[in-house]
Amino acid sequence: MQVDKNDLDNMAEAFKKVEHEISRHMIGQKSLIRQMIIAIIAGGNVLLEGVPGLGKTRLVKTIGQVLDLDFSRIQFTPDLMPADVVGTNIISRASEKEGMFKFQPGPVFSNIVLADEINRATPKTQSALLEAMQEHTVTVGSSTYNLPEPYFVLATQNPIEMEGTYPLPEAQMDRFMLKLNVIFPTIKEMKEIVNLTTKNKEEALEKIANGSQIIEMRRISREVPIADPVLEYAIKLIMATHPDNEFSTETVKKYVRYGSSPRGAQALINGSRVMAVLEGRYNVAYDDINAMAYPALRHRIFINFEGTSKGLTSDDAIEAIIKELT
Amino acid sequence: MKDFKKALRPLKTKIHINNTIYCLTIGLLVACSVSFALSLASLFVPVPFLSETVIKAFAAIMIISIVVSAFLSPGNNKVINTADSLGLKERIVTAFQLKDDNSKLSQVQRTDALNKLKTTQLDKLYVIRVEKRGLTASLVMIILTISFFFIPSSTRDEALKMENVVKEIEKQADNIEAEKSKLLEENDDDMKIKEIEKELDKLLEKLKKTKNEEEALKELSKALHDLEKLKTDEKDKLLSRLEKGMESNTPGQMAKAIEDNDTKEIADKMEQLKNELEKMNDGQREEMIEQLKQAANEVEDEDLDLSDDIKKAADNIDKGNMQEAAEKLAEALQNMQKSTGNNLSAAGGNGAEGLESAINAARRSIASASGNNVMLSRYGSPEGQSKSGSAGNARGQSGQGGQGGDGQSGQNGQGDTPMPGRGGSGAGDGASDKDTGYFEESGGGSRQAGEGEFAEYEEIYTPKRLGDGGEITNITGTAGEAGSSMWHDGANTPVESGSIVPYNQVLTQYKQEAFTSIERADIPPGMKEIVRDYFTGLE
């Protein structure tokens, strides 16, 4: 079915409503909310990074409610086992006559999975999420189970506590479409947050969309045209993150260890398409690419020791690349 | 897409204007840099016609900039990208890419892009930028360039001198051109005139290309020589045939006698000619008749009388009437002398004389304009040689492309020394600067050349010897070794009584003569002053 103007306009309108509704319940973090919704529509997983208490879990819960999606939360701890995440076969009395075991789905069987403090779990447990995040399936024993659609993993990690944490391996990092930094609220926002969250009763959230609408929005967004020069620009941007590539900048050559994988390009383009619709445009612009470059690439660019010792972040490298290419 | 192009047209025009301004600014910068470099260079090296050169270079660069800027109209891609960068957010480039896509979304995109394009005042958003730094740099360079014009420098004087020379060359070229036209008007059908015209055209062309007096004088001397050669070609050819036929040089000697108007010598040579004709055997006679007939045919087109005389001489030889044959030959030689005399009157009458005068005047004027103290003769021979070079003898023989080095022996032989000067052996006319028709006065021996007695000097450097077949010039005197002079210390030389006089007895006379001599127009004022100071200092 061809996408027409109404589809795009309705999508933009629904998006704005979702955004507005979440913002009503989540003070500040406008950019974070928008990028979260973009990732959900684009069908990607999100890694949220921020100090505790900034409302990461609240945000995820809110999104789940507004989008009328199932929501489950996994608090990652060092002793968390993969079976605690994906589920396990248990002996079932009801099935005694028929057989010994019955599969008990884990918390990943939900539309939105909040993997809280994901870097506290061991790599073995973290990797239990890999299949779910990428394939939207879970394999236990010899059986593979499909996860409900739409399916998102929204993981959080605490950047300041390194003791007893297990940094996510590169392969798992790459499976997150976006990595979003949760910034500390301003005084004004803090005041509003306190006012909002210290009352006996909070305002109820309105359900703006549902799972099938999210899937339709994803379909519509992927039809948004992108001109060749813009696409080439996005590709060059990805290429430039590799220190040994012809497009790489001096900063990248000097301070970057690894650059983005092709998944980075997919994330960049898909995110940019959604962003274009939200901006009321029917085509992708350079600005969309530039805006999406930071969340889509910051966890895919690995700064070397020299860069880290100089306090350089992947955002600095991305900024240098954009400046060089434009 | 027509709607798009129409909507983009104002932007396209504005981009073109911007490109033009940029191009002109760059052109201005380059033009100013070149002007600045020229004016700066003129402080260290002579740059003739500096202001004209600067203006021409400036104008040329600016014209090129204007022409180039006309071709700097932006292409579609440039306009589209610029429009997108002015807030259209890649709508236009996407629309152009989707121009053949008829899906609903593509149509929506195109409509959106066009609406946005129409509502956006691109020509106002696009700002024309002026390269202020470039303009400032240009202005600074213009000021510096102009200020350099007012800085006094010795190179400026040299440049001015060079300018005068070039102007003089042009002026003299015009004069020669005028004389040429006059000559052509008077003798438009003459074959010889056509050859002269050809020579003159060659000269004028070369003169226009020359940028210094040395080259110009060389060309003028060469032209004069070529004209002279042109005149004497027939004479030489005829004499050559006669001498070949008779196997004797009597015809040449007779021609010389006719030229010198030596009646006695003419009579002697005619008698000698008659005798030699009578002594010829049949084979020689046949050869002689054949040579004369060929000579007659060769000159028939240009001089019918001369041709008749030669034919009659041939007939008389054939008939055995040697007396009449000798007379006719003498007559022919005389006619030939008339027709190919020492001026071009035979070919062009007064016009030709004017032409010769014009070339000589040109040489004098150019030499004078160059500021050198020069002396000129007809062929640029070193007339500056003193005839008082007592026994200075030279037996010059020009070789093929002789370098003329030995030719300087003429100067060695000159001077006041009473001892015999040794003449050089070479009269080569090659690369010596004397071929240019002048030389700078430097030696004491040349002092006496200021008398203006050019005609009395031996022309041992005549350029007509150039490349010739080793023609010999005989100069009276005792032959000596090449290129060196002998000298003695006068203090121990026995002096004849009365040969030395106190200088104060002759000073007044010499001074008077010197002052008279330096009044000549072609002696630069500076040199006159030196002569005056010298004699004043002796008092």
Side-chain angles (χ1 to χ4, degrees):
Chain A
M1 197 176 92
Q2 281 196 359
V3 175
D4 60 17
K5 188 175 185 300
N6 286 336
D7 294 333
L8 289 164
D9 292 347
N10 290 340
M11 176 183 159
E13 197 180 338
F15 189 102
K16 279 174 189 162
K17 277 186 183 170
V18 170
E19 197 176 16
H20 177 259
E21 191 60 24
I22 295 170
S23 298
R24 222 163 47 82
H25 208 66
M26 182 79 197
I27 306 302
Q29 312 288 1
K30 300 265 183 208
S31 170
L32 180 70
I33 294 166
R34 170 164 281 220
Q35 286 171 341
M36 284 277 280
I37 304 169
I38 287 171
I40 289 167
I41 294 173
N45 306 298
V46 176
L47 176 64
L48 293 170
E49 186 172 274
V51 293
L54 290 179
K56 297 187 288 287
T57 310
R58 183 184 175 88
L59 174 63
V60 176
K61 269 186 184 174
T62 307
I63 288 171
Q65 285 175 326
V66 171
L67 296 179
D68 193 19
L69 298 172
D70 289 339
F71 166 76
S72 63
R73 178 174 180 273
I74 309 166
Q75 180 64 49
F76 278 61
T77 56
D79 58 352
L80 189 74
M81 297 304 287
D84 300 333
V85 177
V86 297
T88 185
N89 290 320
I90 57 168
I91 299 168
S92 171
R93 278 190 185 177
S95 62
E96 267 180 12
K97 293 173 187 171
E98 298 161 10
M100 293 289 290
F101 295 99
K102 181 188 175 189
F103 179 66
Q104 178 66 45
V108 293
F109 284 84
S110 185
N111 292 116
I112 300 177
V113 176
L114 174 61
D116 217 356
E117 296 186 275
I118 193 170
N119 56 341
R120 283 190 177 280
T122 57
K124 184 181 178 183
T125 309
Q126 288 171 359
S127 65
L129 272 177
L130 283 180
E131 185 186 352
M133 287 168 75
Q134 188 62 38
E135 311 298 333
H136 294 196
T137 58
V138 168
T139 304
V140 178
S142 59
S143 303
T144 299
Y145 304 93
N146 286 325
L147 294 170
E149 288 293 343
Y151 180 80
F152 314 102
V153 173
L154 305 175
T156 69
Q157 68 175 8
N158 186 344
I160 56 172
E161 276 188 73
M162 299 307 291
E163 188 88 16
T165 62
Y166 302 90
L168 288 171
E170 282 84 354
Q172 192 157 354
M173 289 280 267
D174 199 34
R175 279 166 171 79
F176 289 102
M177 179 186 170
L178 306 179
K179 179 185 176 187
L180 304 175
N181 293 330
V182 187
I183 54 169
F184 205 82
T186 61
I187 292 177
K188 189 184 168 194
E189 288 167 351
M190 186 79 94
K191 191 179 164 189
E192 284 184 47
I193 290 167
V194 172
N195 281 336
L196 183 72
T197 56
T198 53
K199 290 176 185 171
N200 280 328
K201 194 178 177 184
E202 284 188 37
E203 284 184 44
L205 285 166
E206 189 184 347
K207 292 175 182 171
I208 305 295
N210 54 39
S212 59
Q213 281 177 309
I214 298 292
I215 291 168
E216 178 62 12
M217 281 184 186
R218 187 181 303 164
R219 188 186 72 81
I220 292 167
S221 71
R222 292 193 178 182
E223 294 291 323
V224 173
I226 179 165
D228 283 344
V230 182
L231 183 61
E232 282 162 16
Y233 172 74
I235 303 297
K236 274 185 194 172
L237 211 150
I238 297 295
M239 293 298 190
T241 61
H242 295 269
D244 53 353
N245 194 275
E246 59 175 313
F247 298 111
S248 66
T249 62
E250 282 304 309
T251 309
V252 171
K253 280 177 183 162
K254 205 169 176 185
Y255 300 117
V256 172
R257 188 154 51 97
Y258 300 123
S260 167
S261 70
R263 280 203 189 99
Q266 292 166 351
L268 194 59
I269 298 300
N270 286 336
S272 299
R273 282 188 157 125
V274 179
M275 195 159 201
V277 178
L278 301 187
E279 296 285 334
R281 256 182 290 112
Y282 307 106
N283 62 279
V284 179
Y286 292 117
D287 287 352
D288 301 327
I289 303 283
N290 289 342
M292 288 308 298
Y294 293 92
L297 300 181
R298 64 164 64 105
H299 56 295
R300 294 184 165 99
I301 295 174
F302 298 92
I303 304 296
N304 61 19
F305 177 77
E306 193 181 352
T308 309
S309 64
K310 287 193 173 180
L312 193 87
T313 63
S314 50
D315 279 12
D316 296 330
I318 294 164
E319 191 178 351
I321 293 167
I322 291 172
K323 203 176 275 181
E324 181 78 16
L325 291 181
T326 49
Chain B
M1 288 295 113
K2 278 182 185 173
D3 292 340
F4 279 92
K5 285 181 181 171
K6 193 179 169 188
L8 287 169
R9 202 163 295 148
L11 178 66
K12 188 175 182 176
T13 307
K14 214 158 180 187
I15 295 173
H16 193 181
I17 291 169
N18 201 26
N19 289 349
T20 303
I21 289 172
Y22 180 76
C23 182
L24 291 178
T25 308
I26 296 294
L28 184 67
L29 198 61
V30 173
C32 289
S33 305
V34 171
S35 307
F36 174 74
L38 277 171
S39 63
L40 185 65
S42 73
L43 294 176
F44 306 105
V45 288
V47 181
F49 302 104
L50 178 64
S51 50
E52 289 92 331
T53 310
V54 166
I55 291 167
K56 278 178 191 170
F58 196 94
I61 294 168
M62 290 313 293
I63 288 167
I64 291 168
S65 304
I66 291 166
V67 173
V68 170
S69 66
F71 295 97
L72 291 179
S73 178
N76 275 345
N77 285 346
K78 171 76 179 168
V79 179
I80 289 167
N81 290 337
T82 308
D84 281 337
S85 69
L86 291 172
L88 291 176
K89 304 262 182 187
E90 286 64 64
R91 283 182 172 89
I92 311 299
V93 68
T94 312
F96 269 84
Q97 189 172 310
L98 298 174
K99 63 182 177 185
D100 298 324
D101 189 341
N102 290 320
S103 68
K104 284 181 185 174
L105 190 58
S106 298
Q107 287 173 16
V108 168
Q109 199 281 328
R110 281 201 294 272
T111 309
D112 171 60
L114 190 59
N115 289 340
K116 192 76 181 172
L117 181 60
K118 282 178 178 172
T119 54
T120 307
Q121 290 182 309
L122 291 175
D123 54 332
K124 284 188 180 170
L125 289 171
Y126 185 81
V127 181
I128 289 177
R129 282 181 295 177
V130 177
E131 292 289 328
K132 285 180 186 167
R133 279 188 296 180
L135 289 178
T136 310
S138 303
L139 189 67
V140 169
M141 279 192 278
I142 287 173
I143 292 166
L144 285 173
T145 304
I146 293 168
S147 63
F148 283 162
F149 273 85
F150 296 102
I151 297 174
S153 158
S154 59
T155 54
R156 287 276 155 74
D157 298 335
E158 281 180 50
L160 199 64
K161 206 184 276 179
M162 288 161 80
E163 284 176 23
N164 288 338
V165 169
V166 173
K167 282 178 188 166
E168 194 59 42
I169 290 171
E170 285 169 3
K171 189 180 158 193
Q172 295 306 326
D174 290 343
N175 286 347
I176 293 168
E177 181 89 52
E179 288 298 335
K180 188 191 93 177
S181 306
K182 211 165 124 188
L183 186 67
L184 289 174
E185 277 172 23
E186 288 171 9
N187 309 273
D188 53 346
D189 295 332
D190 201 313
M191 287 289 285
K192 187 136 253 169
I193 289 298
K194 282 180 182 163
E195 284 183 51
I196 291 169
E197 185 192 0
K198 208 170 143 189
E199 286 297 330
L200 285 174
D201 287 342
K202 221 190 296 177
L203 168 69
L204 289 169
E205 194 183 331
K206 283 179 179 169
L207 269 186
K208 279 170 191 167
K209 287 177 186 168
T210 55
K211 293 294 171 202
N212 60 53
E213 81 282 3
E214 200 171 311
E215 283 176 24
L217 289 172
K218 203 177 248 180
E219 292 303 335
L220 286 166
S221 295
K222 192 169 174 294
L224 208 53
H225 164 250
D226 287 345
L227 288 175
E228 189 67 22
K229 199 178 171 189
L230 206 61
K231 290 188 301 182
T232 55
D233 266 359
E234 284 175 18
K235 178 185 166 186
D236 291 344
K237 262 191 250 174
L238 180 60
L239 284 176
S240 168
R241 289 195 180 283
L242 287 176
E243 286 175 356
K244 191 180 170 190
M246 292 179 70
E247 295 176 352
S248 157
N249 61 357
T250 310
Q253 289 168 354
M254 191 165 164
K256 177 80 173 65
I258 291 168
E259 189 181 339
D260 295 342
N261 209 11
D262 188 339
T263 320
K264 188 177 172 295
E265 185 72 6
I266 294 169
D268 289 348
K269 293 299 166 190
M270 205 189 314
E271 188 61 33
Q272 195 179 332
L273 190 66
K274 183 191 138 196
N275 292 337
E276 284 175 7
L277 287 171
E278 282 171 350
K279 283 176 191 168
M280 282 198 284
N281 58 32
D282 288 346
Q284 284 175 320
R285 278 184 194 177
E286 287 299 318
E287 173 67 16
M288 183 68 183
I289 290 163
E290 184 58 32
Q291 291 292 339
L292 286 174
K293 280 179 180 172
Q294 283 182 20
N297 289 336
E298 281 171 4
V299 299
E300 194 169 15
D301 289 343
E302 291 164 20
D303 196 334
L304 200 58
D305 291 342
L306 181 62
S307 175
D308 283 345
D309 286 341
I310 297 168
K311 279 178 184 169
K312 280 174 187 170
D315 288 345
N316 284 322
I317 292 169
D318 195 23
K319 289 170 188 169
N321 194 350
M322 297 310 173
Q323 177 63 33
E324 280 189 30
E327 282 173 10
K328 283 293 170 193
L329 280 176
E331 207 174 318
L333 287 170
Q334 203 165 4
N335 283 341
M336 185 180 64
Q337 193 65 43
K338 276 181 196 167
S339 65
T340 60
N342 284 333
N343 55 49
L344 291 168
S345 57
N350 292 333
E353 282 175 11
L355 181 63
E356 200 172 28
S357 306
I359 294 175
N360 276 322
R363 295 169 68 214
R364 274 195 297 276
S365 302
I366 292 167
S368 177
S370 71
N372 288 318
N373 187 7
V374 295
M375 297 179 189
L376 304 166
S377 77
R378 290 173 64 199
Y379 300 134
S381 58
E383 295 83 356
Q385 290 183 39
S386 167
K387 64 177 177 180
S388 72
S390 53
N393 301 317
R395 188 173 182 278
Q397 180 169 4
S398 66
Q400 291 286 339
Q403 291 298 306
D406 288 338
Q408 295 185 6
S409 61
Q411 286 171 303
N412 295 333
Q414 62 193 319
D416 292 329
T417 171
M419 297 307 296
R422 289 184 177 271
S425 63
D429 307 313
S432 167
D433 64 356
K434 292 159 186 66
D435 290 341
T436 64
Y438 74 95
F439 71 91
E440 294 193 15
E441 193 172 8
S442 58
S446 60
R447 286 202 302 265
Q448 294 179 21
E451 305 279 341
E453 298 172 325
F454 299 155
E456 293 180 33
Y457 299 147
E458 293 290 341
E459 294 178 354
I460 59 169
Y461 285 95
T462 50
K464 66 182 176 182
R465 304 279 189 263
L466 264 174
D468 277 351
E471 195 175 333
I472 294 169
T473 300
N474 293 309
I475 300 171
T476 55
T478 307
E481 290 176 13
S484 64
S485 295
M486 289 175 68
W487 63 277
H488 285 267
D489 186 349
N492 299 321
T493 307
V495 179
E496 194 182 333
S497 176
S499 62
I500 295 179
V501 287
Y503 82 93
N504 53 9
Q505 287 182 13
V506 292
L507 178 62
T508 313
Q509 184 200 344
Y510 284 11
K511 184 181 160 191
Q512 190 58 42
E513 286 179 9
F515 281 11
T516 309
S517 299
I518 60 173
E519 288 312 309
R520 280 169 29 183
D522 56 355
I523 296 175
M527 295 309 293
K528 289 178 184 176
E529 280 306 310
I530 291 169
V531 174
R532 282 198 194 97
D533 290 345
Y534 172 75
F535 282 101
T536 310
L538 290 176
E539 284 178 347

